Amino acid sequence: MATPMPDRQYLWNVFQGVDNDRSGFISATELQTALSNGTWRPFNPETVRLMIGMFDKDGDGTIGFEEFCNLWKYITDWLNCFKSFDRDSSGTIDKTELKTAFTSFGFRLSDAFYDLVVKKFDRNQSDSITFDDYIQICVTLQSLTAAFRSHDKDMTGIISISYEEFLIMVVRTMFQTK
């Protein structure tokens, strides 16, 4: 899944093209207008917010050039992964393709789970998921799994936590609180 980093000059040109206010930093709004999910619609704002949160090391809501370079590589790696599971080359992932992807990642989940995920993330009412939503699903699943595993000391797949601990775990995971 790893992709080599593009030429830094190329990335600098892209960065400058995205930095509309010439602040030297890219906001979520600037990044959203620059990204395409293959449907000629802007990236899902929640996915953009999630990615900014992952790469914004100082917590100011923007990313500088170095953070942008890391984000670029991250998106490129996810795009290659997405394309590898988009078996029919439709530009979207359907339930079967999503199940294949997650199974290859080591998840064994029910059809009811996949039905729910596709319903939740299918913004086009096409029974499929666009690239940006795929990133959001994968990152969310990774984050929730890591949070779950931090409580699953015996690696049994079962945890016992209070309702408040559960809420704290989900809020920290979903809203990237430090």
Side-chain angles (χ1 to χ4, degrees):
M1 184 164 118
T3 306
M5 186 68 81
D7 175 70
R8 287 183 65 81
Q9 184 59 50
Y10 171 78
L11 288 178
W12 178 248
N13 293 339
V14 173
F15 181 84
Q16 287 183 312
V18 173
D19 182 15
N20 293 328
D21 64 1
R22 300 292 178 239
S23 65
F25 296 92
I26 296 174
S27 68
T29 303
E30 289 171 322
L31 184 60
Q32 182 184 19
T33 61
L35 297 175
S36 170
N37 65 17
T39 64
W40 300 106
R41 292 171 57 187
F43 250 45
N44 177 340
E46 181 58 24
T47 304
V48 174
R49 185 197 65 76
L50 185 65
M51 290 189 303
I52 290 280
M54 290 172 63
F55 291 91
D56 174 20
K57 298 304 178 202
D58 60 6
D60 68 354
T62 64
I63 56 173
F65 178 64
E66 291 303 320
E67 295 162 327
F68 176 76
C69 290
N70 293 328
L71 175 66
W72 182 277
K73 181 166 178 10
Y74 181 82
I75 290 172
T76 302
D77 287 345
W78 273 117
L79 180 59
N80 290 333
C81 179
F82 178 85
K83 287 179 177 179
S84 76
F85 292 110
D86 180 13
R87 300 284 184 209
D88 60 1
S89 299
S90 64
T92 61
I93 297 274
D94 65 21
K95 175 184 162 183
T96 302
E97 293 165 331
L98 184 65
K99 186 174 184 177
T100 300
F102 283 8
T103 300
S104 77
F105 300 156
F107 293 100
R108 304 291 180 260
L109 303 164
S110 69
D111 283 342
F113 172 81
Y114 293 106
D115 289 338
L116 177 64
V117 168
V118 170
K119 184 177 181 179
K120 163 88 172 109
F121 289 93
D122 176 15
R123 292 184 293 142
N124 301 324
Q125 286 74 50
S126 62
D127 290 327
S128 61
I129 299 165
T130 58
F131 171 59
D132 53 326
D133 292 322
Y134 175 76
I135 291 175
Q136 185 180 350
I137 294 165
C138 291
V139 169
T140 301
L141 187 61
Q142 283 179 320
S143 299
L144 287 170
T145 299
F148 183 92
R149 284 186 177 153
S150 72
H151 293 280
D152 187 11
K153 304 294 184 207
D154 298 328
M155 299 300 290
T156 62
I158 298 171
I159 61 174
S160 180
I161 58 176
S162 71
Y163 180 63
E164 184 173 357
E165 288 171 315
F166 166 75
L167 290 176
I168 289 169
M169 180 177 73
V170 170
V171 169
R172 278 191 180 139
T173 301
M174 301 304 295
F175 302 106
Q176 299 289 317
T177 60
K178 309 275 185 216

